Amino acid sequence: MTDSKIHGWAPTLSVPDFKAVEGVLLELERHLTLRTYLDGYELSSANTDAWIALRVNKVATGAVRKGSLTNVARWFSFIEANHPEIKGEIKAAQAKAKEKRATASKAGGSYNIGLKNTENSVVTRFPPEPSGYLHIGHAKAAFLNDYFAHEAFDGKLIVRFDDTNPAREKQEFQDSILEDLQLLGIKPDRITYTSDYSQQLYNICERMIAAGNAYADDTDPNVQKEERRIRLPSKRRDRPAAESLAIFKEMKDGTDFGKKHCIRARITFDSTNGAMRDPVVYRFPKFKSEDGEEPISLPHHRTGWEWNIYPTYDFACPVVDSIEGVTHALRTTEYADRNAQYQWFLETLGPRPVQL
């Protein structure tokens, strides 16, 4: 193996693309079969450059942590354990990379979207629902939030499980998502759960109803869907707040009468934006059968039978973002129509604002 070949590994290892680094990692794996160092018998510039490139590239680090590259993993751990001075060089490399990203951003050549109001702090969040395994869309969102929390800025990343639908969620999915994030090299500063805020969310919804900003609705789901489509108000839209509050209590208790209802935000019924047409904010989990979907009470994988009803994501997300101190909610384009709804909840309920 020539010196130029060995020294040429580092630049490729720094590319945040698995297809680009896969070939080099396989070369390293073969090269390190009977070697402790890439070259010679001590820490050289080739070892330092390759190790730093691998360390700061989350894609490459994630590939090594999967466990199939045993020789690369051995070499990587050995360098870190026996040459602690290399960590100082990492900070210098990260600072240089940050400066390079900033220059590229000014020239329009970076995916840094230019967050506003970052002077005091940056706190982002990645809120997956534990109803399935991590997919490519999840990974993209996780990398983006991790980038702004830990690379573009010296901030914090919250991984919050949106665990508000026990009909679909399992502990297995939750554990798998955390494991996959670790393999991707994403380290959250906090791990939280929407279910931790169940009582707060319930109390906030009560205040919404009392203020005339939400109401209990027992309209058939199919009729409700059609009314929203053609912009007609629900017959229950002007229900007295006291009556809706009493029904909300029935829902909380899981009574048969309560199961006929949901709680809807009283925003507007005829908006051109469908997300603003009185969305549901509290409901029972739905069980699918041959006869359709039935609202039922189900045990939650974390909280058991403590609650019968659960907040929807659209209601819980902005409220918990505010509670947890999230400064920037980075939402994909699929949420564009729902951004106005997100802001309505924050403005109506009065918690701390969040930058979209």
Side-chain angles (χ1 to χ4, degrees):
M1 185 71 67
T2 64
D3 287 346
S4 60
K5 182 70 172 179
I6 294 174
H7 282 273
W9 282 330
T12 305
L13 286 173
S14 65
V15 177
D17 183 328
F18 178 72
K19 289 184 179 180
V21 301
E22 183 180 23
V24 172
L25 288 173
L26 291 174
E27 281 189 42
L28 277 174
E29 179 68 13
R30 290 190 293 269
H31 181 74
L32 289 165
T33 300
L34 298 175
R35 292 180 173 89
T36 301
Y37 293 97
L38 297 183
D39 58 345
Y41 301 96
E42 60 185 6
L43 187 67
S44 64
S45 60
N47 285 271
T48 300
D49 293 346
W51 192 91
I52 291 174
L54 183 59
R55 174 65 177 78
V56 300
N57 185 354
K58 295 183 186 301
V59 174
T61 306
V64 173
R65 286 174 174 164
K66 287 183 178 180
S68 59
L69 300 169
T70 55
N71 294 325
V72 176
R74 169 181 52 77
W75 165 80
F76 186 82
S77 298
F78 174 82
I79 298 295
E80 183 172 28
N82 290 274
H83 298 281
E85 68 276 9
I86 203 171
K87 294 182 179 180
E89 298 190 41
I90 291 176
K91 293 182 179 179
Q94 289 174 329
K96 184 178 180 180
K98 186 174 181 179
E99 182 180 355
K100 183 179 179 181
R101 285 194 299 269
T103 302
S105 180
K106 291 179 181 178
S110 170
Y111 70 86
N112 189 328
I113 57 178
L115 298 190
K116 298 179 181 179
N117 303 320
T118 60
E119 297 81 9
N120 296 323
S121 66
V122 171
V123 180
T124 64
R125 88 290 194 262
F126 171 53
E129 180 185 15
S131 58
Y133 300 109
L134 197 74
H135 55 65
I136 189 66
H138 282 145
K140 179 181 177 181
F143 275 127
L144 185 66
N145 281 280
D146 181 63
Y147 168 80
F148 283 107
H150 294 146
E151 295 187 40
F153 303 96
D154 184 17
K156 304 292 183 183
L157 170 66
I158 298 171
V159 168
R160 181 201 311 139
F161 285 101
D162 175 47
D163 54 345
T164 59
N165 189 357
R168 300 175 56 186
E169 297 157 2
K170 296 180 181 179
Q171 183 71 37
E172 171 191 347
F173 297 137
Q174 180 178 302
D175 295 342
S176 175
I177 289 171
L178 288 175
E179 181 179 355
D180 286 343
L181 289 176
Q182 183 180 17
L183 290 174
L184 292 173
I186 296 173
K187 297 180 179 180
D189 297 281
R190 292 175 62 197
I191 298 172
T192 65
Y193 307 85
T194 300
S195 58
D196 289 340
Y197 304 93
S198 295
Q199 188 62 56
Q200 286 174 266
L201 288 163
Y202 180 84
N203 294 343
I204 289 169
C205 189
E206 277 190 319
R207 294 200 295 272
M208 280 182 64
I209 296 171
N213 292 317
Y215 59 95
D217 195 354
D218 60 350
T219 303
D220 179 271
N222 292 324
V223 174
Q224 184 185 132
K225 182 178 180 180
E226 180 63 14
E227 287 179 344
R228 294 185 78 235
R229 186 185 71 82
I230 61 177
R231 307 183 198 179
L232 289 179
S234 167
K235 296 186 295 292
R236 303 298 192 186
R237 195 169 194 270
D238 295 320
R239 193 172 224 160
E243 186 178 333
S244 288
L245 282 170
I247 294 171
F248 192 34
K249 176 64 166 57
E250 293 255 6
M251 290 174 62
K252 181 175 182 290
D253 293 340
T255 68
D256 289 338
F257 178 69
K259 287 179 182 177
K260 296 177 182 178
H261 293 80
C262 66
I263 301 296
R264 296 175 66 181
R266 196 174 191 275
I267 305 178
T268 181
F269 64 86
D270 58 356
S271 173
T272 55
N273 182 346
M276 301 296 281
R277 298 174 198 162
D278 291 8
V280 173
V281 296
Y282 255 94
R283 82 294 195 213
F284 281 87
K286 296 290 184 67
F287 176 75
K288 290 185 177 181
S289 66
E290 294 180 357
D291 299 325
E293 291 187 336
E294 294 293 330
I296 59 173
S297 297
L298 287 171
H300 188 277
H301 71 278
R302 291 186 69 243
T303 61
W305 290 98
E306 186 176 354
W307 291 90
N308 291 301
I309 54 174
Y310 294 88
T312 59
Y313 174 84
D314 285 337
F315 169 61
C317 188
V319 174
V320 179
D321 279 351
S322 182
I323 292 172
E324 290 191 331
V326 172
T327 61
H328 296 79
L330 306 178
R331 293 155 69 89
T332 55
T333 53
E334 67 182 286
Y335 288 96
D337 289 344
R338 290 149 77 179
N339 285 342
Q341 182 196 87
Y342 182 103
Q343 294 288 20
W344 184 89
F345 282 120
L346 292 181
E347 292 168 4
T348 301
L349 301 174
R352 182 189 57 78
V354 179
Q355 180 86 38
L356 286 174

